[in-house]
PDB file of all heavy atoms in Angstrom:
ATOM      1  N   LEU A 750       7.291   2.963  -5.709  1.00  0.00           N
ATOM      2  CA  LEU A 750       6.621   2.237  -4.587  1.00  0.00           C
ATOM      3  C   LEU A 750       7.621   1.350  -3.924  1.00  0.00           C
ATOM      4  O   LEU A 750       8.505   0.889  -4.508  1.00  0.00           O
ATOM      5  CB  LEU A 750       5.583   1.240  -5.195  1.00  0.00           C
ATOM      6  CG  LEU A 750       4.519   1.966  -6.002  1.00  0.00           C
ATOM      7  CD1 LEU A 750       3.675   0.865  -6.755  1.00  0.00           C
ATOM      8  CD2 LEU A 750       3.512   2.644  -5.031  1.00  0.00           C
ATOM      9  N   VAL A 751       7.545   1.402  -2.606  1.00  0.00           N
ATOM     10  CA  VAL A 751       8.396   0.490  -1.838  1.00  0.00           C
ATOM     11  C   VAL A 751       7.434  -0.631  -1.288  1.00  0.00           C
ATOM     12  O   VAL A 751       6.398  -0.405  -0.570  1.00  0.00           O
ATOM     13  CB  VAL A 751       8.978   1.173  -0.576  1.00  0.00           C
ATOM     14  CG1 VAL A 751       9.745   0.256   0.344  1.00  0.00           C
ATOM     15  CG2 VAL A 751       9.773   2.354  -0.968  1.00  0.00           C
ATOM     16  N   ILE A 752       7.684  -1.823  -1.703  1.00  0.00           N
ATOM     17  CA  ILE A 752       6.794  -2.983  -1.468  1.00  0.00           C
ATOM     18  C   ILE A 752       7.472  -3.914  -0.488  1.00  0.00           C
ATOM     19  O   ILE A 752       8.513  -4.519  -0.670  1.00  0.00           O
ATOM     20  CB  ILE A 752       6.592  -3.760  -2.845  1.00  0.00           C
ATOM     21  CG1 ILE A 752       6.029  -2.801  -3.847  1.00  0.00           C
ATOM     22  CG2 ILE A 752       5.608  -4.933  -2.532  1.00  0.00           C
ATOM     23  CD1 ILE A 752       5.914  -3.399  -5.293  1.00  0.00           C
ATOM     24  N   ASP A 753       6.877  -3.875   0.666  1.00  0.00           N
ATOM     25  CA  ASP A 753       7.293  -4.703   1.803  1.00  0.00           C
ATOM     26  C   ASP A 753       6.135  -5.731   2.040  1.00  0.00           C
ATOM     27  O   ASP A 753       5.014  -5.253   2.484  1.00  0.00           O
ATOM     28  CB  ASP A 753       7.498  -3.870   2.991  1.00  0.00           C
ATOM     29  CG  ASP A 753       7.720  -4.697   4.388  1.00  0.00           C
ATOM     30  OD1 ASP A 753       7.616  -5.915   4.251  1.00  0.00           O
ATOM     31  OD2 ASP A 753       7.828  -4.097   5.380  1.00  0.00           O
ATOM     32  N   PRO A 754       6.215  -6.953   1.568  1.00  0.00           N
ATOM     33  CA  PRO A 754       4.996  -7.862   1.641  1.00  0.00           C
ATOM     34  C   PRO A 754       4.383  -7.948   2.981  1.00  0.00           C
ATOM     35  O   PRO A 754       3.185  -7.978   3.076  1.00  0.00           O
ATOM     36  CB  PRO A 754       5.611  -9.213   1.149  1.00  0.00           C
ATOM     37  CG  PRO A 754       6.879  -8.890   0.401  1.00  0.00           C
ATOM     38  CD  PRO A 754       7.430  -7.555   1.043  1.00  0.00           C
ATOM     39  N   TYR A 755       5.172  -7.829   3.964  1.00  0.00           N
ATOM     40  CA  TYR A 755       4.696  -8.107   5.332  1.00  0.00           C
ATOM     41  C   TYR A 755       3.826  -6.676   5.741  1.00  0.00           C
ATOM     42  O   TYR A 755       2.771  -6.817   6.253  1.00  0.00           O
ATOM     43  CB  TYR A 755       5.632  -8.288   6.300  1.00  0.00           C
ATOM     44  CG  TYR A 755       6.415  -9.660   6.006  1.00  0.00           C
ATOM     45  CD1 TYR A 755       7.679  -9.630   5.404  1.00  0.00           C
ATOM     46  CD2 TYR A 755       5.744 -10.799   6.178  1.00  0.00           C
ATOM     47  CE1 TYR A 755       8.356 -10.833   5.082  1.00  0.00           C
ATOM     48  CE2 TYR A 755       6.392 -12.083   5.629  1.00  0.00           C
ATOM     49  CZ  TYR A 755       7.607 -12.063   5.228  1.00  0.00           C
ATOM     50  OH  TYR A 755       8.280 -13.216   4.846  1.00  0.00           O
ATOM     51  N   GLY A 756       4.417  -5.533   5.436  1.00  0.00           N
ATOM     52  CA  GLY A 756       3.746  -4.380   5.572  1.00  0.00           C
ATOM     53  C   GLY A 756       2.459  -4.176   4.805  1.00  0.00           C
ATOM     54  O   GLY A 756       1.519  -3.719   5.237  1.00  0.00           O
ATOM     55  N   VAL A 757       2.509  -4.635   3.498  1.00  0.00           N
ATOM     56  CA  VAL A 757       1.371  -4.623   2.681  1.00  0.00           C
ATOM     57  C   VAL A 757       0.197  -5.483   3.317  1.00  0.00           C
ATOM     58  O   VAL A 757      -0.907  -4.908   3.345  1.00  0.00           O
ATOM     59  CB  VAL A 757       1.708  -5.144   1.249  1.00  0.00           C
ATOM     60  CG1 VAL A 757       0.391  -5.350   0.385  1.00  0.00           C
ATOM     61  CG2 VAL A 757       2.489  -4.122   0.562  1.00  0.00           C
ATOM     62  N   ALA A 758       0.527  -6.632   3.849  1.00  0.00           N
ATOM     63  CA  ALA A 758      -0.521  -7.399   4.418  1.00  0.00           C
ATOM     64  C   ALA A 758      -1.208  -6.857   5.576  1.00  0.00           C
ATOM     65  O   ALA A 758      -2.330  -6.792   5.820  1.00  0.00           O
ATOM     66  CB  ALA A 758       0.158  -8.786   4.812  1.00  0.00           C
ATOM     67  N   LYS A 759      -0.311  -6.030   6.376  1.00  0.00           N
ATOM     68  CA  LYS A 759      -0.882  -5.262   7.589  1.00  0.00           C
ATOM     69  C   LYS A 759      -1.732  -4.124   7.130  1.00  0.00           C
ATOM     70  O   LYS A 759      -2.704  -3.819   7.994  1.00  0.00           O
ATOM     71  CB  LYS A 759       0.292  -4.825   8.519  1.00  0.00           C
ATOM     72  CG  LYS A 759       1.014  -5.996   9.229  1.00  0.00           C
ATOM     73  CD  LYS A 759       2.170  -5.379   9.981  1.00  0.00           C
ATOM     74  CE  LYS A 759       3.046  -6.545  10.511  1.00  0.00           C
ATOM     75  NZ  LYS A 759       4.177  -5.971  11.125  1.00  0.00           N
ATOM     76  N   ARG A 760      -1.442  -3.382   6.059  1.00  0.00           N
ATOM     77  CA  ARG A 760      -2.160  -2.233   5.624  1.00  0.00           C
ATOM     78  C   ARG A 760      -3.007  -2.398   4.511  1.00  0.00           C
ATOM     79  O   ARG A 760      -3.646  -1.298   4.065  1.00  0.00           O
ATOM     80  CB  ARG A 760      -1.103  -1.116   5.358  1.00  0.00           C
ATOM     81  CG  ARG A 760      -0.238  -0.724   6.554  1.00  0.00           C
ATOM     82  CD  ARG A 760       0.661   0.449   6.200  1.00  0.00           C
ATOM     83  NE  ARG A 760       1.536   0.182   5.136  1.00  0.00           N
ATOM     84  CZ  ARG A 760       2.722  -0.369   5.292  1.00  0.00           C
ATOM     85  NH1 ARG A 760       3.190  -0.744   6.535  1.00  0.00           N
ATOM     86  NH2 ARG A 760       3.500  -0.525   4.240  1.00  0.00           N
ATOM     87  N   ILE A 761      -3.330  -3.560   4.115  1.00  0.00           N
ATOM     88  CA  ILE A 761      -4.198  -3.787   2.913  1.00  0.00           C
ATOM     89  C   ILE A 761      -5.578  -3.103   3.003  1.00  0.00           C
ATOM     90  O   ILE A 761      -6.093  -2.739   2.064  1.00  0.00           O
ATOM     91  CB  ILE A 761      -4.368  -5.323   2.473  1.00  0.00           C
ATOM     92  CG1 ILE A 761      -4.951  -5.419   1.107  1.00  0.00           C
ATOM     93  CG2 ILE A 761      -5.164  -5.969   3.532  1.00  0.00           C
ATOM     94  CD1 ILE A 761      -4.005  -5.005   0.017  1.00  0.00           C
ATOM     95  N   ALA A 762      -6.118  -2.956   4.266  1.00  0.00           N
ATOM     96  CA  ALA A 762      -7.408  -2.348   4.537  1.00  0.00           C
ATOM     97  C   ALA A 762      -7.446  -0.942   4.201  1.00  0.00           C
ATOM     98  O   ALA A 762      -8.494  -0.292   3.996  1.00  0.00           O
ATOM     99  CB  ALA A 762      -7.808  -2.713   5.949  1.00  0.00           C
ATOM    100  N   ASN A 763      -6.274  -0.255   4.081  1.00  0.00           N
ATOM    101  CA  ASN A 763      -6.151   1.183   3.724  1.00  0.00           C
ATOM    102  C   ASN A 763      -6.366   1.423   2.319  1.00  0.00           C
ATOM    103  O   ASN A 763      -6.572   2.767   1.959  1.00  0.00           O
ATOM    104  CB  ASN A 763      -4.819   1.702   4.299  1.00  0.00           C
ATOM    105  CG  ASN A 763      -4.553   1.761   5.732  1.00  0.00           C
ATOM    106  OD1 ASN A 763      -5.497   1.487   6.436  1.00  0.00           O
ATOM    107  ND2 ASN A 763      -3.197   1.720   6.149  1.00  0.00           N
ATOM    108  N   ALA A 764      -6.310   0.488   1.526  1.00  0.00           N
ATOM    109  CA  ALA A 764      -6.325   0.803   0.017  1.00  0.00           C
ATOM    110  C   ALA A 764      -7.921   1.070  -0.361  1.00  0.00           C
ATOM    111  O   ALA A 764      -8.802   0.458   0.171  1.00  0.00           O
ATOM    112  CB  ALA A 764      -5.915  -0.366  -0.642  1.00  0.00           C
ATOM    113  N   THR A 765      -8.063   2.079  -1.213  1.00  0.00           N
ATOM    114  CA  THR A 765      -9.440   2.354  -1.694  1.00  0.00           C
ATOM    115  C   THR A 765      -9.321   2.567  -3.188  1.00  0.00           C
ATOM    116  O   THR A 765      -8.271   2.495  -3.808  1.00  0.00           O
ATOM    117  CB  THR A 765      -9.813   3.781  -1.092  1.00  0.00           C
ATOM    118  OG1 THR A 765      -8.949   4.867  -1.420  1.00  0.00           O
ATOM    119  CG2 THR A 765      -9.788   3.761   0.386  1.00  0.00           C
ATOM    120  N   GLU A 766     -10.540   2.723  -3.829  1.00  0.00           N
ATOM    121  CA  GLU A 766     -10.538   3.018  -5.302  1.00  0.00           C
ATOM    122  C   GLU A 766      -9.650   4.134  -5.627  1.00  0.00           C
ATOM    123  O   GLU A 766      -8.914   4.237  -6.503  1.00  0.00           O
ATOM    124  CB  GLU A 766     -11.948   3.202  -5.811  1.00  0.00           C
ATOM    125  CG  GLU A 766     -12.693   2.035  -6.332  1.00  0.00           C
ATOM    126  CD  GLU A 766     -12.021   1.161  -7.375  1.00  0.00           C
ATOM    127  OE1 GLU A 766     -11.611   1.749  -8.373  1.00  0.00           O
ATOM    128  OE2 GLU A 766     -12.067  -0.058  -7.129  1.00  0.00           O
ATOM    129  N   GLU A 767      -9.815   5.302  -4.829  1.00  0.00           N
ATOM    130  CA  GLU A 767      -9.123   6.554  -5.120  1.00  0.00           C
ATOM    131  C   GLU A 767      -7.634   6.455  -4.673  1.00  0.00           C
ATOM    132  O   GLU A 767      -6.798   7.108  -5.256  1.00  0.00           O
ATOM    133  CB  GLU A 767      -9.702   7.710  -4.362  1.00  0.00           C
ATOM    134  CG  GLU A 767     -11.152   8.013  -4.751  1.00  0.00           C
ATOM    135  CD  GLU A 767     -12.282   7.009  -4.097  1.00  0.00           C
ATOM    136  OE1 GLU A 767     -12.018   6.492  -3.023  1.00  0.00           O
ATOM    137  OE2 GLU A 767     -13.111   6.790  -4.866  1.00  0.00           O
ATOM    138  N   ASN A 768      -7.266   5.615  -3.707  1.00  0.00           N
ATOM    139  CA  ASN A 768      -5.906   5.405  -3.305  1.00  0.00           C
ATOM    140  C   ASN A 768      -5.573   4.070  -3.236  1.00  0.00           C
ATOM    141  O   ASN A 768      -5.489   3.384  -2.229  1.00  0.00           O
ATOM    142  CB  ASN A 768      -5.885   6.143  -1.807  1.00  0.00           C
ATOM    143  CG  ASN A 768      -4.328   5.994  -1.350  1.00  0.00           C
ATOM    144  OD1 ASN A 768      -3.555   5.838  -2.060  1.00  0.00           O
ATOM    145  ND2 ASN A 768      -4.154   6.065  -0.078  1.00  0.00           N
ATOM    146  N   PHE A 769      -5.287   3.406  -4.435  1.00  0.00           N
ATOM    147  CA  PHE A 769      -5.102   1.983  -4.472  1.00  0.00           C
ATOM    148  C   PHE A 769      -3.600   1.638  -4.091  1.00  0.00           C
ATOM    149  O   PHE A 769      -3.377   0.531  -4.165  1.00  0.00           O
ATOM    150  CB  PHE A 769      -5.455   1.355  -5.862  1.00  0.00           C
ATOM    151  CG  PHE A 769      -4.689   2.227  -7.076  1.00  0.00           C
ATOM    152  CD1 PHE A 769      -3.602   1.805  -7.423  1.00  0.00           C
ATOM    153  CD2 PHE A 769      -5.369   3.259  -7.658  1.00  0.00           C
ATOM    154  CE1 PHE A 769      -2.870   2.360  -8.401  1.00  0.00           C
ATOM    155  CE2 PHE A 769      -4.768   3.880  -8.635  1.00  0.00           C
ATOM    156  CZ  PHE A 769      -3.494   3.450  -9.058  1.00  0.00           C
ATOM    157  N   VAL A 770      -2.747   2.734  -3.730  1.00  0.00           N
ATOM    158  CA  VAL A 770      -1.477   2.276  -3.294  1.00  0.00           C
ATOM    159  C   VAL A 770      -1.466   2.532  -1.678  1.00  0.00           C
ATOM    160  O   VAL A 770      -0.346   2.498  -1.191  1.00  0.00           O
ATOM    161  CB  VAL A 770      -0.303   3.109  -3.908  1.00  0.00           C
ATOM    162  CG1 VAL A 770      -0.210   2.760  -5.340  1.00  0.00           C
ATOM    163  CG2 VAL A 770      -0.496   4.554  -3.706  1.00  0.00           C
ATOM    164  N   GLY A 771      -2.558   2.628  -1.065  1.00  0.00           N
ATOM    165  CA  GLY A 771      -2.709   2.868   0.309  1.00  0.00           C
ATOM    166  C   GLY A 771      -2.056   1.899   1.102  1.00  0.00           C
ATOM    167  O   GLY A 771      -1.640   2.123   2.416  1.00  0.00           O
ATOM    168  N   GLN A 772      -1.805   0.671   0.721  1.00  0.00           N
ATOM    169  CA  GLN A 772      -0.991  -0.328   1.362  1.00  0.00           C
ATOM    170  C   GLN A 772       0.457  -0.358   1.230  1.00  0.00           C
ATOM    171  O   GLN A 772       1.122  -1.101   1.788  1.00  0.00           O
ATOM    172  CB  GLN A 772      -1.654  -1.781   1.126  1.00  0.00           C
ATOM    173  CG  GLN A 772      -1.293  -2.256  -0.201  1.00  0.00           C
ATOM    174  CD  GLN A 772      -1.999  -1.850  -1.407  1.00  0.00           C
ATOM    175  OE1 GLN A 772      -2.694  -0.906  -1.334  1.00  0.00           O
ATOM    176  NE2 GLN A 772      -1.956  -2.518  -2.537  1.00  0.00           N
ATOM    177  N   MET A 773       0.970   0.514   0.359  1.00  0.00           N
ATOM    178  CA  MET A 773       2.409   0.588   0.157  1.00  0.00           C
ATOM    179  C   MET A 773       2.851   2.079   0.338  1.00  0.00           C
ATOM    180  O   MET A 773       2.193   2.929   0.142  1.00  0.00           O
ATOM    181  CB  MET A 773       2.734   0.182  -1.227  1.00  0.00           C
ATOM    182  CG  MET A 773       2.499  -1.207  -1.525  1.00  0.00           C
ATOM    183  SD  MET A 773       2.930  -1.611  -3.265  1.00  0.00           S
ATOM    184  CE  MET A 773       1.293  -1.876  -3.961  1.00  0.00           C
ATOM    185  N   VAL A 774       4.102   2.204   0.632  1.00  0.00           N
ATOM    186  CA  VAL A 774       4.778   3.631   0.710  1.00  0.00           C
ATOM    187  C   VAL A 774       4.952   3.931  -0.771  1.00  0.00           C
ATOM    188  O   VAL A 774       5.448   3.093  -1.573  1.00  0.00           O
ATOM    189  CB  VAL A 774       6.048   3.478   1.464  1.00  0.00           C
ATOM    190  CG1 VAL A 774       6.771   4.914   1.298  1.00  0.00           C
ATOM    191  CG2 VAL A 774       5.909   3.042   2.819  1.00  0.00           C
ATOM    192  N   ALA A 775       4.402   5.033  -1.118  1.00  0.00           N
ATOM    193  CA  ALA A 775       4.518   5.627  -2.536  1.00  0.00           C
ATOM    194  C   ALA A 775       5.103   6.982  -2.503  1.00  0.00           C
ATOM    195  O   ALA A 775       4.600   7.813  -1.665  1.00  0.00           O
ATOM    196  CB  ALA A 775       3.173   5.473  -3.189  1.00  0.00           C
ATOM    197  N   VAL A 776       5.891   7.298  -3.364  1.00  0.00           N
ATOM    198  CA  VAL A 776       6.500   8.693  -3.448  1.00  0.00           C
ATOM    199  C   VAL A 776       6.556   9.127  -4.970  1.00  0.00           C
ATOM    200  O   VAL A 776       6.711   8.238  -5.864  1.00  0.00           O
ATOM    201  CB  VAL A 776       7.898   8.793  -2.813  1.00  0.00           C
ATOM    202  CG1 VAL A 776       7.751   8.554  -1.278  1.00  0.00           C
ATOM    203  CG2 VAL A 776       8.864   7.837  -3.387  1.00  0.00           C
ATOM    204  N   ASN A 777       6.624  10.310  -5.158  1.00  0.00           N
ATOM    205  CA  ASN A 777       6.881  10.990  -6.487  1.00  0.00           C
ATOM    206  C   ASN A 777       8.290  11.510  -6.487  1.00  0.00           C
ATOM    207  O   ASN A 777       8.585  12.359  -5.706  1.00  0.00           O
ATOM    208  CB  ASN A 777       5.940  11.924  -6.979  1.00  0.00           C
ATOM    209  CG  ASN A 777       4.460  11.438  -7.067  1.00  0.00           C
ATOM    210  OD1 ASN A 777       3.598  11.642  -6.154  1.00  0.00           O
ATOM    211  ND2 ASN A 777       4.259  10.527  -7.911  1.00  0.00           N
TER     212      ASN A 777
END
């Protein structure tokens, strides 16, 4: 996960039960 606190605050509404990392950039 790449955690940018300001970016997380802007995208927090994108998080769902199924995609709880929706507010962060996530890669495998």
Side-chain angles (χ1 to χ4, degrees):
L750 301 166
V751 179
I752 305 169
D753 171 359
Y755 303 105
V757 168
K759 290 178 185 175
R760 294 186 301 273
I761 194 70
N763 295 342
T765 65
E766 267 309 309
E767 297 77 31
N768 181 19
F769 55 88
V770 296
Q772 74 276 18
M773 289 181 257
V774 175
V776 295
N777 296 109

